[in-house]
Structures are given as structure tokens and as C-alpha cells.
Amino acid sequence: MENYRTVIAKVEDWAGQKVLSTKSIGGGCISKAELLTFEKGSTCFMKMACSAPDVFEKEVRGLNELKKAGCIRVPEVLFFDQDCLLLEQIHIGKQGYDFFSNFGRLLAHLHQYGALRFGFPQDNYIGKTPQINTCNKVEAENWCDFYYNKRLLYQYKLAEEKGLVGPELKNGFILLENRIEEILEGSEEKPALLHGDLWSGNFLCDSQSQPCLIDPAVYYGHREAEIAMTRLFGGFDASFYSSYQKTYPLPEGYDYRQNIYMLYHVLNHLNLFGNNYYGQAVKLLWSYLD
């Protein structure tokens, strides 16, 4: 409670006015979230850290990177330090009939914003798990090496440290190391700017029925990884995918590669939430090895 009062005092000092009221709007494993109303009537969205002290610094860097592309709305950053992050309040609207087709088209444009190398200048977080984006020259220039080492193998080693790796997963990873190039063959493209954690909980519909991206885990990678993530928990409306494909078609063979990209996020859920995700991880992995 004392820390909360300190944060509110800090926010009031930044705003130059008192916080009139607060409303809890949930949060997740990284932060608690509140809507703040100030005495002069303005509002903002506040997140308070529940995990690493640099989590908001990394989130702000990701939001700013997405903003550079000028494709999809992200919340304006008002203030941040290691204790809290203040963002503009996004007024939620009703999804129009063309919301998802518009979203798919805009994401396709975002993915055309590229870089020379894979990764990102700093590491960040996927949920509360560290996401390693800094890499050596070979990984920065070779997607297969980057994805295997910095995504799959990193999560696997975390799971191993936590005692979550059984023989099916262990034996599968032994085989995967020699199969990963074959699995990803045909997907060669330049690095694309990715939100990195794009599921239904990480976008909003604003008052103009436009998508707004939140809670990024930004890096430059293959866009197929992003699209696979959108399908992991039930997927988006079919018009999202058809619009994306019409705007920026995915390389041939994407459907075959989808499971290997889902595997990263399922391994992360295994590390975050435990054995309920073990069977799904094994199934995704062995879909390439049987």
C-alpha cells in the first residue's frame, strides 16, 4: 500500500494535479492496471509493475518502434519509470463490420516495415519471460539460427531448469536441431517489424473502430511467426487473414511452418503456467518429427 501511495504521489507531481479517482481494470502477470481520473477531468491509463524493474522501459521502446511504422495506432506514452507507466486512455468502440479486414490490411503494412537484421537492439519480455533479441552476427543474418537459438532453444532451456521437460520433449529437441533448416526452408524474407505477442488480449478497438496495439514484445523477424501467434488461441475473424493475404501474401508453405512458430509461445506458456501446456508443446514439436 505504501508503494502505491508513493506511485500516486509521483503521478500527481508529474500531472500537476490530484488524482480524483481510480478504477481497477485488471492486469496480468506483468502489471496491475488502473484508469486514473484527475481533478481537472483528464484521464489516463496506469500500469504498475509486478515483475522486473525494466519492464516498462522495454514496453515503451516497443511501442515507440511500432509507432515509427505509422501503420497501426499505439497508445501515446505519457510518463514512465520502473514503478509505473502512464498511457493515454484508449476509448473503446464497437467493432464495425470491416474491423478485422482493416486490421489485417494494416498489419500487412506494418510487416512491410523492415530492418537489415533479425532481432532488436535490446532484449525485452514475452509475458514476464525474458525475450532475447540481441544476437551474434550469424543469428542476425540468418533467421533459422536466430529462431532456433533465441526463441525455441532459450524457452526449452528455461523449461529444463524448471523441471518441466519430459522425455518426449527432450528427444524431440534432439531431433529438431538437425531438422530446423528443412522445416523453415522456403520462408526466406527480409526481417519485418513484429508486435511479437499478438493475440486477442493485446489489441483494442478504439472509438473510431480502428485497431490499437498494446503490450508488445517487439523484434524484427519473420512475419509468419506473428500470423501463427494470432491463430494460437482460437484465431481472429477469417476476414483478417484474407485481407492480410490480399495485401501482402505469405510465402508458399506457410501452413506447414505454422506449428513451429506456435511452439515458441506454447513453450513460453509452459514456463509461465506449468504442465497444462506440456502436451500441446510435444504435439506441435512432433508434428514435424513423426
Side-chain angles (χ1 to χ4, degrees), residues 14 26 32 47 52 62 93 102-103 133 163 209 213 220 238 252-253:
W14 165 82
K32 297 177 181 177
K47 299 171 76 171
N102 183 43
F103 190 8
N133 301 316
S209 193
L213 299 177
Y220 286 87
E252 186 177 348

Side-chain angles (χ1 to χ4, degrees), residues 42-270:
S42 59
T43 60
C44 73
F45 179 74
M46 180 179 78
K47 299 171 76 171
M48 288 184 62
C50 300
S51 54
D54 62 348
V55 65
F56 293 142
E57 174 195 346
K58 304 299 176 67
E59 181 172 346
V60 168
R61 181 74 181 269
L63 289 169
N64 288 339
E65 197 72 14
L66 292 170
K67 188 177 180 181
K68 286 180 187 178
C71 299
I72 306 181
R73 183 180 182 183
V74 296
E76 290 290 337
V77 176
L78 305 176
F79 172 83
F80 78 95
D81 63 11
Q82 68 177 21
D83 297 316
C84 68
L85 168 63
L86 301 185
L87 301 168
E88 68 166 315
Q89 181 189 2
I90 303 299
H91 295 278
I92 305 303
K94 183 178 180 181
Q95 292 179 4
Y97 73 94
D98 61 347
F99 173 81
F100 275 105
S101 61
N102 183 43
F103 190 8
R105 178 179 58 82
L106 293 176
L107 187 70
H109 289 311
L110 177 71
H111 288 167
Q112 292 175 60
Y113 187 89
L116 296 175
R117 294 175 175 83
F118 297 108
F120 199 58
Q122 67 176 191
D123 301 330
N124 48 31
Y125 296 92
I126 182 82
K128 65 179 180 181
T129 307
Q131 178 169 265
I132 309 304
N133 301 316
T134 54
C135 56
N136 62 40
K137 188 175 185 294
V138 173
E139 293 162 339
E141 296 177 353
N142 185 298
W143 171 245
C144 186
D145 286 342
F146 177 88
Y147 187 69
Y148 181 76
N149 292 330
K150 302 304 183 184
R151 294 295 179 260
L152 297 181
L153 189 59
Y154 180 79
Q155 290 282 354
Y156 173 83
K157 288 181 176 178
L158 281 181
E160 202 170 39
E161 290 172 8
K162 295 180 178 184
L164 297 170
V165 173
E168 306 96 335
L169 201 58
K170 181 177 181 179
N171 293 336
F173 258 83
I174 292 171
L175 297 173
L176 180 65
E177 184 173 9
N178 294 321
R179 291 287 307 280
I180 189 71
E181 290 186 5
E182 176 190 337
I183 293 167
L184 295 180
E185 186 179 5
S187 65
E188 296 80 5
E189 285 188 332
K190 68 178 183 179
L193 177 57
L194 308 182
H195 174 281
D197 192 15
L198 188 54
W199 64 290
S200 61
N202 282 346
F203 71 85
L204 304 172
C205 174
D206 71 14
S207 58
Q208 302 301 310
S209 193
Q210 294 295 309
C212 178
L213 299 177
I214 60 173
D215 298 342
V218 160
Y219 68 101
Y220 286 87
H222 270 200
R223 59 198 178 103
E224 292 183 352
E226 186 108 286
I227 299 302
M229 176 58 177
T230 69
R231 293 185 180 276
L232 187 56
F233 301 113
F236 296 174
D237 187 89
S239 62
F240 171 89
Y241 302 102
S242 59
S243 179
Y244 184 98
Q245 284 284 74
K246 182 177 179 181
T247 307
Y248 191 17
L250 291 164
E252 186 177 348
Y254 159 69
D255 289 344
Y256 171 74
R257 295 183 289 272
Q258 182 172 265
N259 282 357
I260 201 69
Y261 291 127
M262 287 183 174
L263 179 60
Y264 171 57
H265 297 285
V266 172
L267 286 172
N268 185 45
H269 278 68
L270 174 66

